[in-house]
Structure formats: structure tokens, C-alpha cells
Amino acid sequence: MVTLPISAAADAKGISKLWAHRKVTDIEVAQTMGTLTPDVAGKQVLAIALAHQIVSSQTSLIAVDKKPNRPLDQKLTRAEVPVNLPAGWNFDRVFGTEKPVLTPKQRDAAADYLQLASSEKPATSEQALQNQVQLPQTATASGQLIIISVLMMMLAGIFRLIAVRTVA
């Protein structure tokens, strides 16, 4: 047996948080077992979590940025942020060689897009097909995988019939 003098103990913030987590777990187990109602258990968990500043089923953490990026007297402004096109895309083929001139009214958030598709009939000439935007393809050979899976199901069915006939 070891005797430790309490007067020589140092303050440790982590011990109370460990105790609080364990207490919250005990309350939630009691609720699951039916010895505490959900309302009572929720109030107890909330009180312990707030007192010890821990995350629980009733609390969460919120990060508050105390250093603003712009002075409070400046108004918010709207700016276009340049982004890269996906690999292999050509800007002129997607958006055309002429950039449209948009008035500030047209740059409203509700109308701030470029229409890439049209409701016209699809192009039929060879040159028109070459000018269309080629979207990236999927990474799987889905057609081949479907054929293989159908063949495997047919093979499994054959084996099942053979197994039923040999047992009978």
C-alpha cells in the first residue's frame, strides 16, 4: 500500500476531463438500461459537459476566429476567383474564343454561370463533333465487368444444377 500526501499534489486539468468523460458514459449507460429517462440523462450530461468543457452527445465545440481578415468598416465585395480547368480541357473549346462582356447586373449570383449545353439538335458533321467538349470518362470498364458478372452468374447456376442432380 502506498500513501500519498494530498497537500503535495499538483493541479492537473486532464484528470477532471477524464472523470467527466467517464461520468457522461455512466449516465448514458444508465439511460440505455432504463434507470434514467432521456430528459434527465440529457440534462445531467449537459451540466457535466459544460462544467468540464468536454464534447458530449449534448454539446459540441465551436471555433471563433477573433482576428477578422478585413476591417469592420469595409463592405463585403464580390470577386471572381480563377480556377483551373480539369486536365486535358481546352479553355477555347469549352467557353469559345470570345469572352462575353457581362454587365454588373448580369454578374448577379443567380445568373453567374455559362451555359455549356444547348437544346439544339446534336451536331452530325465530323467537324462539328470534333468541336464538342469531350468530358472525362469513368475509370472502370463497366461494360466488360457487366459481361463478366453475367457469365459468372450463369456458371454459378450451372454448378448449382449439377450439385442438385448429384445429391438427388
Side-chain angles (χ1 to χ4, degrees):
M1 185 162 108
V2 176
T3 303
L4 298 173
I6 294 179
S7 61
D11 288 338
K13 294 179 182 178
I15 299 296
S16 69
K17 292 190 186 297
L18 290 173
W19 175 87
H21 278 290
R22 182 57 187 249
K23 185 67 177 171
V24 165
T25 302
D26 291 344
I27 293 169
E28 290 173 343
V29 167
Q31 176 188 347
T32 304
M33 300 300 287
T35 57
L36 286 177
T37 64
D39 291 338
V40 172
K43 288 178 183 176
Q44 288 180 2
V45 167
L46 181 62
I48 291 171
L50 290 176
H52 295 279
Q53 297 180 349
I54 63 170
V55 176
S56 70
S57 61
Q58 304 296 315
T59 58
S60 64
L61 296 177
I62 297 174
V64 178
D65 186 8
K66 294 187 178 187
K67 181 183 169 192
N69 289 337
R70 66 172 172 82
L72 295 174
D73 59 342
Q74 287 184 358
K75 292 185 177 182
L76 288 175
T77 59
R78 180 185 165 100
E80 292 183 13
V81 179
V83 295
N84 293 328
L85 286 174
W89 283 37
N90 183 333
F91 183 86
D92 294 337
R93 287 183 67 188
V94 174
F95 299 106
T97 54
E98 294 183 21
K99 294 183 181 176
V101 178
L102 299 175
T103 64
K105 202 172 207 178
Q106 289 174 322
R107 290 187 179 182
D108 188 20
D112 193 20
Y113 67 92
L114 291 175
Q115 185 174 357
L116 297 178
S118 67
S119 59
E120 297 175 9
K121 291 192 317 187
T124 55
S125 69
E126 190 70 32
Q127 185 178 10
L129 289 174
Q130 289 176 353
N131 288 335
Q132 288 183 349
V133 176
Q134 296 297 317
L135 296 175
Q137 302 300 311
T138 59
T140 62
S142 59
Q144 292 174 351
L145 293 175
I146 290 172
I147 292 171
I148 291 171
S149 62
V150 168
L151 290 175
M152 295 298 269
M153 287 191 295
M154 290 172 57
L155 187 62
I158 291 170
F159 284 145
R160 175 78 174 153
L161 288 174
I162 292 171
V164 167
R165 287 186 181 172
T166 53
V167 171

